[in-house]
Amino acid sequence: MWENVHGHEQNKHFLQQLLLAGKRTPSLLFLGPSGIGKKTLAAAFAKDFLCMSENLPCSGCPSCHAFNAKGHPDFLVVEQSAPGKEIVIDQIKEVARQAVFAPNLSEHKVCIIDAADYMNATAANSLLKLLEEPPRFWLFILIANTAARLLPTIRSRCRELRLHPLTPQDMGHVLADLGVDHDAAQLAAL
């Protein structure tokens, strides 16, 4: 389904079923170790979730063009200002400010919160208010490395998808995509 997302077949199938069935959930939590493709999978799902075409994959509608151009008005990413830094209340307040507006281009809006487990306490409590009464058109995708750093009340408001490290075969495909032709299988095994 998403050619640049390797592995995670069970999760990709689940997300595909959400798209095909037209089922909507206000929030998802992608949980797993760092560097395994959680953000890549979240972005691929967000693109198709915002797509205006009934036939996926599309890549030709105005929404897909805007997403590919990194300028989609209905797509928001919240992330750390630097690795290891906290996500602060002002970042979540901006999400809350934008949550009152209806979508511009697509039928929905998507907000990815990368490193959600790095939200400080005030930011987490502010996000919790949004998740308790989610805006009508919004989908929140939280990405975290560990569940222990998330408020249990935030976790309880999200559909949780656990992602696991890639198999050596999937890692070999990733290396090949990056242009590593020589010894890709040996490097993947490492």
Side-chain angles (χ1 to χ4, degrees):
M1 183 170 163
W2 299 300
E3 63 278 347
N4 62 338
V5 179
H6 297 287
H8 313 299
E9 296 306 319
Q10 183 176 5
N11 289 314
K12 287 193 293 191
H13 179 73
F14 170 78
L15 294 171
Q16 185 178 26
Q17 294 305 310
L18 277 181
L19 291 170
L20 295 177
K23 296 178 183 176
R24 300 293 181 230
T25 181
S27 52
L28 296 168
L29 171 60
F30 289 28
L31 191 60
S34 180
I36 61 169
K38 297 183 301 285
K39 190 173 182 180
T40 303
L41 179 59
F45 177 68
K47 178 183 176 188
D48 282 356
F49 187 81
L50 293 171
C51 181
M52 300 163 77
S53 173
E54 292 183 21
N55 300 318
L56 296 175
C58 163
S59 296
C61 72
S63 178
C64 289
H65 282 295
F67 197 94
N68 291 339
K70 310 273 190 248
H72 201 295
D74 300 325
F75 180 65
L76 176 68
V77 177
V78 175
E79 54 194 355
Q80 299 165 293
S81 59
K85 296 284 187 181
E86 291 183 332
I87 293 174
V88 295
I89 184 70
D90 289 339
Q91 292 172 282
I92 303 303
K93 280 184 178 180
E94 177 59 22
V95 173
R97 186 187 72 74
Q98 292 195 28
V100 299
F101 299 111
N104 293 312
L105 184 59
S106 299
E107 292 181 20
H108 298 88
K109 287 189 167 197
V110 175
C111 176
I112 292 179
I113 301 177
D114 190 16
D117 47 343
Y118 278 87
M119 280 186 288
N120 65 27
T122 54
N125 284 315
S126 182
L127 176 65
L128 181 59
K129 289 179 186 176
L130 280 172
L131 296 179
E132 286 174 339
E133 295 180 29
R136 184 172 158 217
F137 302 107
W138 280 67
L139 167 65
F140 293 94
I141 303 175
L142 283 65
I143 300 172
N145 293 341
T146 177
R149 292 183 53 126
L150 289 168
L151 291 177
T153 48
I154 286 179
R155 287 187 61 200
S156 71
R157 305 262 181 315
C158 299
R159 297 236 9 209
E160 192 171 299
L161 282 79
R162 291 206 172 254
L163 285 83
H164 303 285
L166 298 176
T167 65
Q169 181 182 7
D170 288 331
M171 196 63 218
H173 293 298
V174 171
L175 291 171
D177 284 353
L178 293 172
V180 177
D181 295 329
H182 183 60
D183 297 329
Q186 289 176 331
L187 289 172
L190 294 175

